[in-house]
Amino acid sequence: MRFGVFTMQLGPADALIARWHRAEEVGFDSIWVADHTTTQYPELVHFEAWTLLAAMARETDRVRVGTMVTQIAFRHPALLAMEVATVDHLSGGRVELGIGAGGAPLDAAYVGVEAWSKRERLDRLAEQVDILDRMLRGETVTSDARYPTTAARVIQAVQRPRPPIVIAAQGPTAMRVVARYADTWNTLGGQPMGAAPPIPLADALAETRRQIEALDSACRAVGRDPATVRRSVCLYKSLVLLQSIDSFEEVCSGYAALGFDEIVIYWPFLSPRAYPTEEIVRSSEAVLVRAMAEVVPRLRGGPGS
């Protein structure tokens, strides 16, 4: 089992770089950044995601790096493929492409794109992932798909056959895209998106079980063994996770029991949307560092460890 950390890209840059070094030092396997604009989340995002990953690639030695997740409205798939291949070379083959249908309206307006309907976003996701999958394998892709058109290729990535694709999906339509293309499925672990309050752990796990059933069904429908899709959970709305060592273990053990291969945890950061005081940030960070030393080795070892 891998453990990742989600670091919101807040300045100053030196502090963010120090956080990456600390995350690698305490044993995290991966570091992830968001892909939002300063308009949508001004108190959470200062820096652009793929530029930041290029810096992260050079500032770290071991961890996997990636987006959780890149939004399809921001970039043409040919440009995104070029960015992924570039960071893959800069990191020595450690990048993962996280991608999803998006849906934040202010993010779309930021780049001058109208807010697409959910149906259109899912259609575009399928088309873009198909192009990315082929381009990152080194193919010259000529596509006259309904939405993105291209005739392009990019430098062959370090990882073969291509860098892993992580697709965020919560509903059945997106699950079909996961089943066809993804190396890893990512979920928010049954928690509601946006400003809605978190739901109890038992309810979140029950919802996640339903998502797993939908993914397994989608895989079987396209003739794919569900076991070949890695499962990743980003512990969204997880302030309770870092209140104590016991709560950390309870939450992570719940998702480990569902068969997740990777658990991604937010590194505590000072923000009115998440951790409202410096004292809470310091306390949560201390719990996280201690949990990586005391709890995570047991979870990595599985039953009887």
Side-chain angles (χ1 to χ4, degrees):
M1 176 179 286
R2 299 193 321 189
F3 280 80
V5 65
F6 197 115
T7 60
M8 297 304 298
Q9 47 262 49
L10 295 166
D14 287 347
L16 188 56
I17 292 169
R19 193 171 302 131
W20 300 339
H21 292 166
R22 183 64 170 144
E24 193 166 49
E25 176 188 321
V26 302
F28 279 104
D29 303 295
S30 58
I31 303 177
W32 305 85
V33 298
D35 193 13
H36 287 295
T37 64
T38 54
T39 298
Q40 183 73 33
Y41 297 105
E43 76 279 32
L44 299 179
V45 174
H46 292 167
F47 302 124
E48 190 278 324
W50 281 94
T51 310
L52 202 63
L53 285 180
M56 190 188 297
R58 307 305 293 174
E59 289 287 344
T60 58
D61 299 312
R62 174 186 55 79
V63 293
R64 309 286 297 174
V65 303
T67 48
M68 194 162 282
V69 291
T70 288
Q71 296 195 58
I72 57 173
F74 285 2
R75 299 170 185 85
H76 189 283
L79 174 60
L80 179 56
M82 191 174 187
E83 291 171 327
V84 175
T86 299
V87 177
D88 199 48
H89 278 267
L90 290 173
S91 65
R94 291 183 286 124
V95 75
E96 302 197 11
L97 168 59
I99 193 166
L106 292 180
D107 278 346
Y110 191 87
V111 293
V113 175
E114 64 179 90
W116 302 322
S117 68
K118 182 178 180 181
R119 176 72 264 173
E120 182 173 344
R121 285 189 285 111
L122 290 169
D123 288 346
R124 286 177 178 269
L125 175 65
E127 291 184 354
Q128 291 206 21
V129 172
D130 175 68
I131 292 170
L132 287 160
D133 174 61
R134 290 184 286 147
M135 289 190 71
L136 290 172
R137 292 176 187 272
E139 296 182 25
T140 298
V141 176
T142 300
S143 172
D144 57 356
R146 178 181 176 190
Y147 295 112
T149 59
T150 188
R153 67 183 300 274
V154 297
I155 186 172
Q156 177 68 57
V158 174
Q159 298 178 82
R160 304 296 173 90
R162 54 154 172 71
I165 294 177
V166 182
I167 300 180
Q170 316 297 321
T173 303
M175 290 296 188
R176 290 194 286 272
V177 184
V178 172
R180 189 169 295 278
Y181 296 105
D183 299 285
T184 301
W185 163 56
N186 177 257
T187 175
L188 297 179
Q191 290 291 351
M193 298 183 69
I199 63 176
L201 176 61
D203 294 340
L205 292 173
E207 173 58 27
T208 304
R209 288 189 195 95
R210 287 191 286 272
Q211 293 177 358
I212 291 171
E213 291 169 1
L215 173 61
D216 291 350
S217 177
C219 286
R220 288 190 290 268
V222 298
R224 181 175 183 180
D225 181 355
T228 63
V229 182
R230 288 179 55 85
R231 286 106 197 280
S232 164
V233 58
C234 180
L235 295 182
Y236 189 61
K237 300 181 184 293
S238 57
L239 179 60
V240 65
L241 175 75
L242 300 179
Q243 289 181 351
S244 70
I245 290 292
D246 290 342
S247 60
F248 182 99
E249 185 157 16
E250 178 188 15
V251 174
C252 291
S253 295
Y255 288 98
L258 293 180
F260 280 89
D261 304 286
E262 181 164 29
I263 295 176
V264 179
I265 302 152
Y266 280 75
W267 190 280
F269 55 91
L270 189 62
S271 164
R273 202 178 273 228
Y275 296 86
T277 68
E278 291 187 17
E279 182 180 356
I280 291 177
V281 169
R282 288 195 299 270
S283 173
S284 299
E285 189 172 307
V287 169
L288 180 59
V289 171
R290 183 181 165 197
M292 287 300 296
E294 299 178 11
V295 177
V296 166
R298 292 199 298 273
L299 294 173
R300 288 191 203 276
S305 174

